[in-house]
Amino acid sequence: MSSTTENPTGTATGTAAEAAGSTGAAGTLLAYGRNRIDRARGGELGSAPAVAGLIVLVVFFAIVQNGFLSLYNIANLVTQAAPIIVLAMGLVFVLLLGEIDLSAGTASGVCAALMAVMIVRHSLPWWLAVIAAVITGAVLGFAIGWLRAKVRIPSFVVTLAAFLSFQGVVLMQVGKAGSISLPDQAAKPIITLEGYNNNLMPLWLGWVLLAVVAGGYALVKLRMSVSRRAAGLEAEPPLVTIAKTALMVILGAVFVYLLGENRAIQQNAFFNNLKIEGIPWVVLLLIVLTVGLTFLLSRTRYGRHVYAVGGNDEAARRAGIRVDRIRISVFVVCSLLAAVAGIVQASQLESVASNFGAGNTLLLAVGAAVIGGTSLFGGRGRIMDAVWGGLVVAVIQNGMGDLIKGANSQAWQWIVTGLVLLLAAGFDAASRRVGKGDSR
């Protein structure tokens, strides 16, 4: 395997960084740009293709579909993408090791169904049901990881078996009724995640959140640049950091402002006082998960060990890393986040059906991670990949849903999503060949 990997900070390690250091060009804007181009030629593009694709898709659907950029639809896009993004975040950990978890979708179903059963049939508090669902996800992930790491069953096989079994567990939990509806009052904090009954984030909190995120991002990036320069390593020029922060502030301000406007569709004599204003609470959850998991992968010893095992597990073992523990842990993280994704999905649907987590759930999440830039071959990926990829998938689903009318509308939606995933996987394979200098 290649010894060159990309860590979540977006800085190169291995041959790219060594090349930059040898030329003495680190720290200057021109050298930084030249180094980025060299890395791109070597196949290290990160999330850039996903971001470019997202911009193209948004512009395309905005032109061909009336109402795509309406305030109501923008908020709908966010809530539609949320469960896909959370599930994809967990899959990034597994994919970093070159593994796969086919059971992540149905694991989310098991955990969501358990939560619903505890609230509805046993009248337990919602918070206890949520804790039980998350712990169940972690236990399922530990069992899968243990079978993969200790019994040496390939992850494809063990997670395929779990995928099938978990569907049966969900059927047993839900029962003959076919679905369990979450009660308005008993499960209110859960279904409020998606803005139930216009329970949205206060407008002032949206602006505070933007200030905290942008300020924190700038401080972390500047501190990282200072520490890297002190160590004699390549560092991001301050102008680039300022430009990235300014772009984040502008885009964030537009997002907060737009969702702060009244987006109620029904405005007439009977509903003239109806107001839907504010950011859904699930956005706060996405920010917390993105920041926390990015910190875990980029700033902790555990994260470095995950990248090391994903880059070359034998070299990591000889370096003293407990490879088996790392392998088990990524499945634990994946299933734990699958449980969170199940809770978010149940919040969106306000119910748990017998087919919850089955069907296209896993495919969309894997597609989101790969489209965002996470490699299927291990060693390369970031949490932000799940965010960008999840938004791409949500835009395709949302845009195609109304673009083509008739009996084949859903079919075209699947065809386009599949082609985008194929394009992303093909790009990933091609970039790895370029990185290895294989021109065949």
Side-chain angles (χ1 to χ4, degrees):
M1 290 186 178
S2 171
S3 60
T4 300
T5 60
E6 180 183 350
N7 64 36
T9 65
T11 55
T13 62
T15 54
E18 290 163 4
S22 63
T23 60
T28 68
L29 193 59
L30 182 61
Y32 178 80
R34 190 162 53 236
N35 191 29
R36 297 292 294 184
I37 293 174
D38 290 341
R39 289 172 57 187
R41 287 175 176 170
E44 296 182 25
L45 289 174
S47 299
V51 175
L54 181 63
I55 294 172
V56 171
L57 287 170
V58 169
V59 172
F60 173 75
F61 287 122
I63 293 173
V64 301
Q65 187 186 126
N66 290 329
F68 179 77
L69 288 182
S70 65
L71 297 180
Y72 181 84
N73 200 46
I74 291 174
N76 191 36
L77 272 171
V78 174
T79 55
Q80 190 175 354
I84 301 173
I85 291 174
V86 176
L87 193 56
M89 285 178 177
L91 286 165
V92 165
F93 282 80
V94 175
L95 292 174
L96 278 173
L97 263 61
E99 305 280 359
I100 188 66
D101 187 352
L102 301 176
S103 66
T106 50
S108 73
V110 170
C111 298
L114 174 67
M115 176 190 71
V117 167
M118 291 180 71
I119 294 174
V120 176
R121 296 179 184 166
H122 301 287
S123 301
L124 293 172
W126 67 269
W127 57 267
L128 184 59
V130 168
I131 292 174
V134 173
I135 292 175
T136 300
V139 171
L140 294 177
F142 179 83
I144 292 171
W146 185 84
L147 289 171
R148 171 65 187 94
K150 298 297 184 182
V151 188
R152 308 293 184 190
I153 303 176
S155 59
F156 179 85
V157 177
V158 68
T159 58
L160 178 60
F163 167 78
L164 297 172
S165 302
F166 291 167
Q167 288 189 77
V169 174
V170 176
L171 280 171
M172 291 176 64
Q173 289 174 300
V174 174
K176 296 179 181 178
S179 67
I180 304 174
S181 297
L182 296 176
D184 292 350
Q185 293 303 319
K188 185 177 178 181
I190 297 173
I191 53 184
T192 293
L193 270 177
E194 301 290 341
Y196 169 75
N197 269 356
N198 200 18
N199 285 314
L200 300 162
M201 198 181 295
L203 299 182
W204 63 267
L205 185 54
W207 292 108
V208 170
L209 196 59
L210 172 62
V212 171
V213 171
Y217 174 81
L219 286 176
V220 169
K221 296 293 286 186
L222 289 174
R223 182 179 177 185
M224 189 184 302
S225 295
V226 171
S227 61
R228 288 185 67 84
R229 284 195 187 88
L233 299 173
E234 176 200 18
E236 187 174 88
L239 279 177
V240 175
T241 302
I242 293 172
K244 286 182 176 179
T245 306
L247 183 62
M248 176 187 290
V249 170
I250 293 171
L251 294 178
V254 171
F255 179 76
V256 173
Y257 173 78
L258 290 178
L259 292 195
E261 295 291 298
N262 185 12
R263 54 181 179 273
I265 295 178
Q266 295 174 316
Q267 291 290 344
N268 52 42
F270 299 99
F271 296 98
N272 59 349
N273 292 324
L274 179 62
K275 286 188 176 181
I276 302 179
E277 301 173 342
I279 299 172
W281 285 99
V282 73
V283 174
L284 179 60
L285 174 66
L286 290 178
I287 291 173
V288 170
L289 288 176
T290 301
V291 174
L293 295 174
T294 298
F295 179 84
L296 179 65
L297 278 180
S298 64
R299 308 292 291 176
T300 66
R301 176 185 294 181
Y302 170 76
R304 290 191 290 273
H305 286 183
V306 169
Y307 280 99
V309 175
N312 190 323
D313 58 352
E314 183 57 32
R317 183 178 289 105
R318 293 183 179 182
I321 296 174
R322 302 291 294 269
V323 174
D324 286 354
R325 289 187 179 182
I326 295 296
R327 204 174 297 282
I328 292 173
S329 70
V330 296
F331 283 98
V332 171
V333 173
C334 182
S335 294
L336 189 149
L337 287 172
V340 177
I343 295 169
V344 173
Q345 182 76 23
S347 163
Q348 191 177 67
L349 301 174
E350 299 178 22
S351 65
V352 177
S354 56
N355 63 347
F356 194 100
N360 58 12
T361 304
L362 173 72
L363 300 178
L364 293 178
V366 172
V370 175
I371 290 170
T374 297
S375 175
L376 285 168
F377 304 96
R380 192 163 64 195
R382 301 179 307 166
I383 292 301
M384 278 304 295
D385 296 345
V387 178
W388 292 119
L391 289 174
V392 169
V393 171
V395 166
I396 293 174
Q397 285 199 308
N398 186 286
M400 293 295 296
D402 293 329
L403 182 64
I404 301 177
K405 304 293 183 182
N408 290 327
S409 61
Q410 191 170 14
W412 280 109
Q413 180 180 326
W414 280 110
I415 290 171
V416 172
T417 306
L419 289 175
V420 172
L421 175 57
L422 182 63
L423 181 65
F427 186 84
D428 176 34
S431 66
R432 291 188 73 86
R433 282 208 308 274
V434 171
K436 293 179 179 179
D438 184 0
S439 59
R440 291 177 296 175

